Amino acid sequence: MTIKTYLVALFAGITINASAQSTASLSVASDSKLTISKHIYGQFAEHLGHGIYGGFWVDPSLPVAKQDRIRLDIVAALKEIKIPNLRWPGGCFADEYHWRDGIGAPAQRPRMVNTNWGGVTEDNSFGTHEFLKLCDLLGCEPYFAANVGSGTVEEMSKWIEYVNSNSTSTVVQMRKDNGHPDPYKVTFWGIGNESWGCGGNMTPEFYANEFKRYASFAKNYPGARLKKIASGPNSDDYNWTEVIMKNIPDYMMWGISMHYYTIPTGNWGKKGSATNFSESEYFNTMVNCLKMEEMVTKHSAIMDKYDPEKKVALVVDEWGVWTDVEPGTNPGFLYQQNSLRDALIAATTLNIFNNHCDRVRGAALAQTINVLQSLILTDKEKMLLTPTYHIFDMYKVHQDAQYLPIQLISPDYVVDGKKLPAINVSASRDASGKVHISLVNLDMHNDITISTALTGIQWKTVSGKVLTSANITDVNTFDQPNKLHLANFTGAKKDGANLVVVIPAKSVVTLELE
Ligand code: AHR
């Protein structure tokens, strides 16, 4: 690296890979005008496998604490990590979901085939009221995905009226008769899902027109000004973002979504195992995970062209690692285990989002319970918290905190002659003035010493939490549910005005400076 490259990179506030260096150098700025939206820490729950049925919503005979059929140990665990929003009912399922099927007496609700996910019969016992009750118990905001692919404008517009209006219209009276006299005031509304794919295989030009038609009839009711979110690009489809931004005025959309999944092998046909992988496969997984940085940067740059004031949010409302299903499980249910690798993916991705909080103002991990990169796995009445859960627990301190820009010079992690930056970081200051720095070491073998300058930040003590384990493939199981857990971290010291941290190999650390 030349001194010129180094200075340009420092000026841009980005990470530099400094090869052949066993230490990293970090500086954290004391101020910025940006807030890390809590909605970056959102979750996604689709009618898919055992995400809803057998996850949140269980059989009445299951011997666990419940409210109606909502599982309360799950509610308590998710409240602990302060999930800010929950996206529902899909995913691909959203574009074949008809909300009227999910209200009224459960026994009378129509049944349908869940064509996307295993062809199972959906009995609609979990519908609008049940979902909103769940969000109420979780203390989070509901985020509805409306059916554009196989629905109508009228259907969506009546759904909004049903949940948000306080009028005496027939549809509102139905809500009152179904037990909820007051409007729910749901503000997050996705207009379709993956409209480029399972949501209707549309071109971006066609979708932009559809969005405007649907959005025109997505009405605001008192106390519920809608945040309308357009179906956005698949991964690096920059043309989709360009066409949407060019054709939809910013006053019509609060956000544009983006979906990107980390596929370990990069091959959708043979994605790779969740638990049985080599170092080389781990490395490639992290290369694929880090592509999120490039995608967010490039989509943001396109958005900047049309929306320099950054009024429209980029909402990465499906992300996470997607592996082959666990052997012996239904391939349509997308059930996968969750290892230390998943924790590093979660922490790295959240660092990327925190560092792009000027544009990324919402996101949702796919998908909360028993599906893809989950926070929680269940087996009948048993339940475990995954390594990914512990990252969301560790990172909750960044929710709605003041963003602190960082500059980082990272050593490389080299495998098979290929390299990636071993360290990634984000930082924030909370309302009480505490500074939190989250650091990830992706190197499987080497502890890394990070020397940190904190110019302008007043602090006396440092404490922290760490997540790591002996093996990158380690998981929590129902027999050993706490193998991976948060531990106190003692590897950070004050050295004059500087902070020196020794971050263990394959670990995530969040420090608190007071
Ligand atoms: O999360 C699983 C699926 O992935 C969702 O239903 C869809 O939106 C995406 O392709």
Side-chain angles (χ1 to χ4, degrees), residues 87-90 94-95 142-148 156 159-160 186-195 207 211 214-215 218 226-232 254-257 315 317:
R87 178 172 179 254
W88 174 84
D95 279 296
Y143 171 8
F144 280 70
N147 181 345
V148 169
M156 180 211 62
W159 199 10
I160 297 169
V186 175
T187 62
F188 283 113
W189 287 84
I191 310 293
N193 169 73
E194 296 195 351
S195 301
Y207 174 74
F211 176 91
Y214 274 76
L226 302 191
K227 301 186 184 87
K228 298 170 206 173
I229 298 170
S231 176
W254 182 84
I256 174 168
S257 81
V315 182
D317 55 17

Side-chain angles (χ1 to χ4, degrees), residues 379-427:
D379 177 16
K380 301 191 184 66
E381 71 275 16
K382 292 187 198 153
M383 167 190 132
L384 65 79
L385 307 176
T386 67
T388 300
Y389 173 94
H390 293 301
I391 296 302
F392 276 78
D393 192 12
M394 199 190 250
Y395 273 57
K396 66 189 177 195
V397 290
H398 296 298
Q399 291 191 22
D400 281 343
Q402 180 191 25
Y403 166 66
L404 298 180
I406 57 108
Q407 293 174 341
L408 172 68
I409 302 175
S410 169
D412 291 326
Y413 168 44
V414 184
V415 175
D416 302 336
K418 294 179 286 184
K419 56 188 182 179
L420 54 71
I423 301 289
N424 63 77
V425 180
S426 69

Side-chain angles (χ1 to χ4, degrees), residues 44 46 48 87 90-94 116-117 193-194 196 198 259 261 268 318 322 334 366-367 371-372:
F44 173 38
E46 179 168 13
L48 195 179
R87 178 172 179 254
C92 296
F93 181 78
N116 285 290
W117 307 118
N193 169 73
E194 296 195 351
W196 41 264
C198 64
H259 291 179
Y261 286 98
W268 280 92
E318 286 186 32
W322 190 329
L334 310 185
Q367 310 193 354
V371 178
L372 300 178

Side-chain angles (χ1 to χ4, degrees), residues 100 223 243 279 476:
R100 285 188 174 90
V243 174
E279 179 168 10
N476 285 340

Side-chain angles (χ1 to χ4, degrees), residues 304-319:
D304 286 350
K305 258 193 344 186
Y306 299 95
D307 172 32
E309 292 171 48
K310 300 185 192 290
K311 290 185 203 151
V312 180
L314 183 60
V315 182
V316 190
D317 55 17
E318 286 186 32
W319 68 271

